[in-house]
Amino acid sequence: KRFMPLLVCAVIGVAFLCAALVVGPASAAAQPQVSSEVLFVKPLPNLPQGVVCDIYLTNGVIVDGNGGTPYAGGVAILGDKIVDVGACQPAPGAQIIDVGGRYITPGFIDIHTHTDDYWPNKGDGLMVLNQGVTTQIVGNCGTSVSNVAEYLDSVEGAAINVGTFYGYKALRRSFLSDAAAMTDAALAQMETQLAAAIDNGALGLSVGLSYYPQTKASYEELLALAKVVAEKDALFANHIRDEYSGVVASVEEMINLTRDSGVRMQYNHIKAAGRSNWDLQDQILQLFNAAIAEGLDIRGDAYVYEFSSWDVSGTGISVSMDNIKKVLQNPYVMVGSDSGLSASGRAVHPRAYANAVAVLIRMVRDESVLRLEEAVQKMTSMPADRLGIENRGRLAKGMQTDIAVFRLEFG
């Protein structure tokens, strides 16, 4: 309910990104500058005028977020809603924007970020918008603000839509010092506060079990909290205990927690980290797929870089690109950048400025790991469905106008 409509026009070519513009119903004079370069366009049939709209994006290629084949068409916008998609003709008076054969997609939703400190400062967010990203989810890996309602108020009017999880670390520190052992009384207080945070807008609970003091969390404690999340039909975002040599045991713990609590589980940044552990990736995915086949509600996310933020200052890589491709091709895995921004917009890792574009260029255009419609689905309807965002993530009548327009040049 706090999210706003956004329309992003971007040009993606051999370089990561050239030119970007935000257009909304309230800024009709700001029109995107489009070039004469066209990918492929089929002429629309002559239709009777009749679709009442403020803005009509014409001469585009629709990738609607559902995973279907792209097709020529346009999008009609009235106020903050999409009123028609496809072969439609606008009524007189609409602002016509010819997108010049560019792709029109839902705005991208980044389910896993660490940009919490940036959005309250009302920065322009161009490093995010230039990627076509219109929604980010913060509060991941157990790190969040302690007051969810106040945080959501602070990001009203931000350049993009922002949602948050409630982090385990903030929850624990509300009642215990880092050095203190868990008590029954403190756990009961944590359960009550977690439920209240979800009622106040948190999307669920996040944990980062490889980080202190979250390393102290017992299985029994996690189970109690997971049951609260399940009762609220919220999401449990899990940065597992060990992504290195103990990754298999950590995935098994996550699966057991899902089974025992009935919670909806999100396996964050799936990977087997460390060169000596790369051969464990197939086993991880087998466990993941088997749990889903069993009927457990588990999904995952991944980014497209071979190095983590911990590797940036070094010269090595910690993740196999072949494994990244395997993970992203899994039908139950969506894209999450794991990106971070400081309050001023400084980033440690380039994924904060380029993850979505890297998906399109490397995984779609250059290496054909994903079809364009698959990649778009993994960045739109899949995270929207996972997060329970019903009015975004697809181009369809009645949806909010979170829209990305871009050119992706194939050789």
Side-chain angles (χ1 to χ4, degrees):
K1 66 183 180 180
R2 297 172 181 267
F3 290 174
M4 64 182 181
L6 295 167
L7 173 62
V8 178
C9 179
V11 181
I12 298 175
V14 176
F16 267 175
L17 204 63
C18 319
L21 179 66
V22 178
V23 179
S27 56
Q31 298 188 28
Q33 301 300 309
V34 298
S35 75
S36 60
E37 300 175 55
V38 175
L39 292 174
F40 65 90
V41 178
K42 298 178 182 177
L44 294 177
N46 292 323
L47 299 175
Q49 294 183 349
V51 179
V52 176
C53 57
D54 300 316
I55 296 175
Y56 183 64
L57 306 180
T58 188
N59 198 21
V61 181
I62 304 296
V63 188
D64 63 14
N66 289 313
T69 302
Y71 60 94
V75 177
I77 299 167
L78 180 64
D80 61 358
K81 296 288 195 306
I82 295 171
V83 292
D84 212 339
V85 178
C88 48
Q89 186 75 11
Q95 178 190 359
I96 309 297
I97 300 177
D98 187 337
V99 302
R102 288 167 171 81
Y103 293 105
I104 306 175
T105 75
F108 301 150
I109 299 171
D110 193 342
I111 195 171
H112 188 94
T113 79
H114 298 275
T115 58
D116 314 49
D117 293 339
Y118 179 73
W119 300 114
N121 286 342
K122 306 301 191 293
D124 61 25
L126 287 179
M127 75 290 285
V128 175
L129 286 166
N130 282 355
Q131 301 178 62
V133 176
T134 56
T135 300
Q136 285 193 336
I137 307 304
V138 303
N140 281 287
C141 297
T143 300
S144 77
V145 296
S146 58
N147 189 310
V148 168
E150 287 183 2
Y151 181 79
L152 292 175
D153 286 342
S154 77
V155 297
E156 288 278 7
I160 69 166
N161 305 309
V162 182
T164 187
F165 287 102
Y166 192 31
Y168 169 88
K169 183 167 63 175
L171 178 60
R172 189 184 199 278
R173 285 177 173 173
S174 296
F175 304 103
L176 293 169
S177 69
D178 288 355
M182 182 57 62
T183 65
D184 290 343
L187 182 56
Q189 290 175 306
M190 289 170 64
E191 292 175 42
T192 299
Q193 184 152 306
L194 173 58
I198 294 172
D199 289 341
N200 285 326
L203 294 163
L205 175 70
S206 76
V207 298
L209 298 176
S210 65
Y211 302 133
Y212 186 81
Q214 301 183 71
T215 51
K216 297 164 66 75
S218 68
Y219 183 83
E220 292 71 25
E221 177 186 338
L222 294 174
L223 179 59
L225 297 174
K227 287 180 177 178
V228 173
V229 177
E231 289 170 0
K232 293 291 183 179
D233 193 28
L235 195 59
F236 192 114
N238 196 331
H239 172 145
I240 60 175
R241 287 190 191 274
D242 187 349
E243 296 177 328
Y244 290 81
S245 60
V247 64
V248 171
S250 296
V251 170
E252 290 174 335
E253 179 188 48
M254 177 190 68
I255 291 170
N256 289 335
L257 184 61
T258 309
R259 183 184 295 114
D260 292 344
S261 67
V263 77
R264 297 191 300 114
M265 181 69 69
Q266 185 72 14
Y267 178 7
N268 293 143
H269 36 69
I270 300 175
K271 59 187 171 185
R275 190 177 298 269
S276 62
N277 304 307
W278 288 355
D279 61 354
L280 297 175
Q281 188 66 70
D282 287 344
Q283 187 177 355
I284 293 168
L285 288 177
Q286 287 169 4
L287 289 169
F288 178 73
N289 290 334
I292 293 169
E294 178 187 332
L296 301 183
D297 194 345
I298 302 179
R299 297 294 185 267
D301 54 73
Y303 54 84
V304 295
Y305 289 84
E306 298 160 287
F307 55 96
S308 72
S309 57
W310 301 104
D311 303 320
V312 169
S313 59
T315 58
I317 59 175
S318 61
V319 185
S320 157
M321 181 52 68
D322 286 342
N323 283 346
I324 291 172
K325 293 174 183 177
K326 287 179 187 177
V327 170
L328 283 173
Q329 286 177 321
N330 188 289
Y332 302 109
V333 175
M334 60 205 72
V335 174
S337 71
D338 197 19
S339 60
L341 289 172
S342 70
S344 64
R346 180 178 177 272
V348 172
H349 196 291
R351 61 195 175 202
Y353 280 65
N355 189 72
V357 178
V359 171
L360 295 173
I361 289 180
R362 186 166 194 175
M363 297 298 159
V364 175
R365 189 195 68 184
D366 292 351
E367 302 193 30
S368 300
V369 175
L370 299 170
R371 299 190 307 276
L372 176 59
E373 56 267 32
E374 290 178 311
V376 169
Q377 184 178 33
K378 287 174 180 287
M379 295 191 286
T380 57
S381 65
M382 283 183 69
D385 291 348
R386 199 67 184 144
L387 294 162
I389 302 174
E390 297 179 353
N391 60 352
R392 286 171 167 81
R394 291 174 173 83
L395 296 181
K397 291 181 182 180
M399 302 295 278
Q400 294 290 123
T401 54
D402 287 23
I403 297 173
V405 178
F406 59 88
R407 184 178 69 243
L408 182 63
E409 298 176 336
F410 290 84

